[in-house]
Amino acid sequence: MQRLRRTRKNMLLRELVSETQIKKSGLIYPVFVRYEEGICEEIPSMPGVCRYSVDMLDTVAEQVVQAGIGGVMLFGIPQEKDETGSGARDENGVVAQAIRKFKSFFQKTGKRFLIIADICLCEYTSHGHCGVLACDDVDNDASLPLHAGAALAAVRAGADMVAPSSMMDGVVEAIRKTLDAEGYTDIPIMGYSAKFASAFYGPFRDAAESAPKSGDRKSYQVDCRNGREAMRELAADESEGADILMVKPALCYLDIVKQARERSDLPLAVYNVSGEYSMVKAAAAAGMIDERRIVKEILTSFFRAGADIVITYHALDYVRWEREGEIR
């Protein structure tokens, strides 16, 4: 008989032989930034997650530094929207201001973390789509220079990395060429490489005020039924110069994460999206689950499947629970 229980007998033995660890430095915390002052408003559909005005970001920076996680991913909510999402390319826009605010915190404290700028138009367009419209459809090629301009604005403000999330064909290449031409050859690109058309994005669209006014995004995001198509998307981003690949959402797509890990040697990220987060929060609030243990199990599953980086709204909570000995 094989006595596999021998190495599970107590916590010390289980820790000794554990195959997968949650890497704190691989956790990225999404941050929603808006105009005005003194804003720290909880998002109703995402308990524990807030929108912040730029002047309140020192508080976020302190939390991120204390947690020791890898960094933040920034999403901006502009004052005004238009047909082409010009606010995304504004070098004094809300994301650019947020980046400079974090940079000033680094200068004051000597502490730092990575600043990743999400690059998309949906928060900035009056119609809520991720590119410019032509005849009620997104014009892929006309949208590419607009995304490249948004990436350039973020990098000029001091972003360490850009992450194009629109799923426009060729967007990684367009951004890479623009950044290289401007001398930013050392700025990495994290592609939202296999981003599926998903119902799990609902709370995020509340948070970022980015829901499309009409239609949906199924023509430019991957059908949830198509694993082979996702592999083509991942391969396309890699060929266009992406430095990091991503699968989004995470929980229902661990098979895609596993396949991506087996096919590519690039660093691999997953986005543990808003709906996944809010389901856990709702079940915990109803007394149905142990939130701390569930979050640990979920985060572990991402790393076990092959992810190197996990973008998650649970990041700060998880590290605090672990530090205070509240997770076993």
Side-chain angles (χ1 to χ4, degrees):
M1 182 187 299
Q2 293 189 51
R3 298 221 175 247
L4 301 177
R5 293 176 56 187
R6 286 178 183 139
T7 52
R8 303 176 197 151
K9 186 175 181 180
N10 58 51
M11 185 178 68
L12 293 175
L13 281 168
R14 291 192 296 271
E15 287 296 314
L16 180 68
V17 301
S18 62
E19 300 171 17
T20 305
Q21 303 295 328
I22 297 172
K23 183 176 67 173
K24 284 198 305 181
S25 61
L27 300 179
I28 300 294
Y29 185 62
V31 178
F32 299 96
V33 189
R34 66 179 312 144
Y35 284 98
E36 296 110 27
E37 293 183 352
I39 301 295
C40 177
E41 57 185 12
E42 187 172 76
I43 299 159
S45 58
M46 299 179 69
V49 177
C50 296
R51 300 184 193 93
Y52 297 92
S53 53
V54 172
D55 62 305
M56 300 294 285
L57 290 179
D58 278 0
T59 300
V60 179
E62 287 284 1
Q63 293 175 330
V64 172
V65 166
Q66 289 176 13
I69 64 172
V72 298
M73 179 174 278
L74 293 177
F75 299 89
I77 303 165
Q79 285 181 308
E80 297 180 356
K81 306 187 180 196
D82 59 33
E83 290 294 306
T84 66
S86 60
R89 302 180 294 284
D90 184 353
E91 295 193 8
N92 195 39
V94 66
V95 167
Q97 290 184 34
I99 293 168
R100 289 193 286 268
K101 180 67 171 177
F102 282 133
K103 293 287 185 176
S104 69
F105 173 87
F106 300 159
Q107 291 171 354
K108 286 185 297 185
T109 65
K111 302 170 183 176
R112 78 174 324 281
F113 46 80
L114 287 173
I115 303 172
I116 305 170
D118 175 84
I119 304 298
C120 198
L121 302 185
C122 59
E123 300 106 305
Y124 301 90
T125 53
S126 52
H127 45 75
H129 280 282
C130 299
V132 292
L133 295 183
C135 301
D136 297 323
D137 192 15
V138 173
D139 187 328
N140 189 96
D141 294 3
S143 301
L144 297 182
L146 306 185
H147 288 88
L152 184 58
V155 170
R156 283 175 172 166
D160 299 301
M161 185 187 302
V162 293
S165 61
S166 68
M167 289 298 288
M168 295 296 107
D169 293 337
V171 70
V172 169
E173 182 178 15
I175 290 173
R176 183 74 276 157
K177 286 181 175 179
T178 297
L179 294 182
D180 287 357
E182 293 291 327
Y184 296 108
T185 57
D186 59 341
I187 296 295
I189 298 174
M190 177 191 291
Y192 279 65
S193 308
K195 180 179 179 180
F196 288 83
S198 174
F200 283 101
Y201 302 148
F204 174 92
R205 292 175 182 174
D206 292 340
E209 300 175 3
S210 63
K213 301 300 182 187
S214 62
D216 55 41
R217 296 177 179 150
K218 292 181 180 179
S219 71
Y220 47 99
Q221 295 176 352
V222 183
D223 190 311
C224 68
R225 298 169 292 184
N226 292 355
R228 294 193 302 273
E229 182 184 355
M231 294 303 109
R232 292 172 61 199
E233 290 279 9
L234 288 152
D237 272 12
E238 183 164 358
S239 70
E240 290 175 22
D243 301 280
I244 300 170
L245 305 178
M246 185 198 298
V247 176
K248 177 184 179 182
L251 272 177
C252 287
Y253 299 90
L254 291 179
D255 60 320
I256 306 300
V257 178
K258 183 68 172 175
Q259 290 178 61
R261 177 72 292 148
E262 292 171 348
R263 291 183 180 222
S264 176
D265 291 327
L266 288 183
L268 180 62
V270 296
Y271 199 140
N272 180 205
V273 300
S274 59
E276 297 167 344
Y277 170 87
S278 295
M279 287 195 305
V280 170
K281 285 291 185 180
M288 297 178 178
I289 60 170
D290 181 328
E291 181 181 1
R292 290 160 174 77
R293 291 181 61 195
I294 287 285
V295 169
K296 181 178 181 180
E297 190 170 340
I298 288 171
L299 296 182
T300 299
S301 75
F302 301 147
F303 287 105
R304 189 182 65 243
D308 305 293
I309 301 159
V310 176
I311 304 158
T312 178
Y313 305 95
H314 294 295
L316 299 182
D317 282 344
Y318 170 77
V319 173
R320 186 181 71 254
W321 297 332
E322 183 185 51
R323 185 172 57 237
E324 295 173 359
E326 297 182 22
I327 307 176
R328 294 296 181 199

